[in-house]
Amino acid sequence: MNVELINALDQLEEEKHIDKEIIFEAIENALVAAARNNNRDAEDVTATVDRETGDYHVYYVKTVVDEEDLLNPYAEITKEDAQKIDGSLDIGDTVNIEIDSTKFGRIATGAAKSTIIQAIRTEEKHNITSEYQSKLHKVVTGVVQRKNSKTGTVIVNLGTADAALPLKEQVKGERYAPKDRIKVVVIEVADGKNGTKIVVSRTHPDLVRGLFAEEVTEIGDGTVEIMNIAREPGSRTKIAVWSNDEDVDPVGACVGMNGTRVNAVVDELNGEKIDIINWSDTPAFLIENALSPAKVISVIADSEENTAKVVVPDFQLSLAIGREGQNARLAAKLTGYKIDIKSETQAVEAGDFPPYDEDAEGESVPEGLEEFEGQNYYDENGQYIGNNDEG
């Protein structure tokens, strides 16, 4: 029994998750190749490895011929010699003649070893590729190894493989020192010349999605869904959430008691601000929510053109637009609408928004303005004065 071989294969299977059958087949192929390299006249060679004992045998496969027809003794055998092995053999039959593999030359043995090693590497690469393909767009934890000073790429060890964190996938201002533990999202897995190519990101929206899935039980069990994410990495993110259970507040679930859940995500993102809003299938509602924390007077959304006109109180205009336009920009990304924001004064001057008529009895909608679903109205002090859905 070849105990060393069996133990080695058991260890490979345990540590590298390489199926022993793959290696048994590789050994058989290597033995066949070695026999052919050792004797170029061999036309047909076969090899077997006992799966239980590890014992192996290599054979010339010879065809039984008449003595006068014998041309290649490595591929043919006379009927007389064949019947010494098995009396039932006749012309045209084949018989396996064992080869002494200890007589294989150094070159043949070296080639066989290379074949086995290559098979192990190929299977290991396949296993790693399969493992990380199943983790695409999911969050994983890695340890920073080093940084390429020329490209800026950071190499992160994920446990069973190294991944590349390219400069474009790094958050501006973040620093990654060797041995730092960081969370990243897997965005690309492909076969490369030197092994599996894995690319990870700290800027991708799926990092935020994955971090909330880790912190929020309701997302993990499917009760709450993250419908969309708009992110400017390192600065601010808006996420729109929806609950499949009317008794579960999706925003509250993501915020957590005293903000514990959202704060855990913010900490992992090194202080990146996160706005959590309610998702709505009604564009007007969604756009209004997306512009939070600004208050909105009205929204007119064109679903065919994916454009929207928004009116906000004068004192809320800068808040709605945000510093350097960030709030409006993220709202547009989140909703998929091109949003034109005006203050109430600007809208009135442009003729887009008639002023509220305080003398009109019982009106909750400014005179001359067409009602539409989801429209809220506020007075000049920002106080809520009505909604077309209300009686």
Side-chain angles (χ1 to χ4, degrees), residues 51-337:
R51 272 46 172 172
E52 297 296 328
T53 66
D55 294 334
Y56 59 87
H57 302 275
V58 190
Y59 304 95
Y60 291 131
V61 181
K62 297 185 179 183
T63 302
V64 179
V65 296
D66 283 329
E67 186 171 354
E68 60 270 19
D69 295 328
L70 182 66
L71 298 175
N72 183 354
Y74 296 101
E76 299 167 336
I77 186 173
T78 65
K79 179 178 178 180
E80 181 181 353
D81 288 340
Q83 288 185 338
K84 291 177 182 178
I85 300 170
D86 183 346
S88 65
L89 291 172
D90 204 347
I91 304 297
D93 292 338
T94 58
V95 59
N96 292 342
I97 306 299
E98 188 162 5
I99 306 169
D100 184 0
S101 59
T102 61
K103 295 182 179 179
F104 289 167
R106 179 176 57 83
I107 295 176
T109 304
K113 181 179 179 181
S114 296
T115 300
I116 296 169
I117 291 173
Q118 183 58 44
I120 292 172
R121 287 176 178 170
T122 299
E123 183 64 13
E124 186 176 9
K125 176 182 171 182
H126 171 74
N127 288 345
I128 291 173
T129 300
S130 297
E131 177 186 353
Y132 286 97
Q133 280 179 338
S134 70
K135 295 179 180 179
L136 267 174
H137 305 295
K138 294 182 180 179
V139 173
V140 294
T141 301
V143 177
V144 175
Q145 298 295 298
R146 62 189 181 278
K147 181 177 182 178
N148 186 312
S149 58
K150 292 183 179 179
T151 65
T153 297
V154 173
I155 303 302
V156 182
N157 181 265
L158 303 180
T160 54
D162 285 344
L165 177 63
L167 189 61
K168 67 179 181 178
E169 301 297 338
Q170 298 171 25
V171 176
K172 186 177 180 180
E174 285 190 347
R175 296 290 178 265
Y176 312 105
K179 297 185 180 180
D180 280 353
R181 291 181 66 83
I182 60 173
K183 290 189 177 182
V184 293
V185 64
V186 180
I187 60 171
E188 182 184 344
V189 179
D191 287 330
K193 292 182 179 179
N194 299 318
T196 303
K197 176 187 175 183
I198 304 170
V199 180
V200 294
S201 174
R202 285 278 297 173
T203 63
H204 199 284
D206 280 342
L207 178 62
V208 177
R209 188 185 302 274
L211 292 174
F212 270 103
E214 289 180 352
E215 296 294 333
V216 182
T217 306
E218 291 84 351
I219 292 178
D221 65 21
T223 302
V224 172
E225 295 182 54
I226 297 177
M227 305 301 290
N228 206 3
I229 299 174
R231 186 182 183 204
E232 294 192 353
S235 180
R236 190 174 182 182
T237 289
K238 285 180 181 284
I239 71 170
V241 294
W242 169 267
S243 176
N244 292 305
D245 185 340
E246 61 182 13
D247 294 328
V248 176
D249 171 22
V251 174
C254 291
V255 172
M257 186 174 295
N258 298 321
T260 53
R261 289 175 169 179
V262 69
N263 287 339
V265 176
V266 169
D267 289 344
E268 180 58 40
L269 298 177
N270 295 314
E272 186 173 312
K273 295 178 181 178
I274 298 178
D275 299 336
I276 306 172
I277 70 161
N278 282 302
W279 171 267
S280 176
D281 291 327
T282 303
F285 282 145
L286 179 60
I287 293 167
E288 180 181 351
N289 293 343
L291 286 168
S292 174
K295 301 297 182 182
V296 174
I297 293 177
S298 69
V299 180
I300 300 176
D302 185 336
S303 59
E304 292 185 359
E305 297 293 331
N306 280 352
T307 60
K309 293 183 178 181
V310 175
V311 179
V312 300
D314 289 358
F315 72 98
Q316 293 272 296
L317 181 60
S318 61
L319 184 62
I321 294 174
R323 181 178 296 179
E324 298 180 348
Q326 186 184 63
N327 194 57
R329 190 165 57 249
L330 285 172
K333 288 182 180 179
L334 190 70
T335 62
Y337 277 71

Side-chain angles (χ1 to χ4, degrees), residues 337-353:
Y337 277 71
K338 182 179 179 181
I339 303 174
D340 178 21
I341 304 175
K342 292 180 180 178
S343 68
E344 185 175 8
T345 298
Q346 290 171 336
V348 170
E349 290 175 350
D352 296 335
F353 185 68

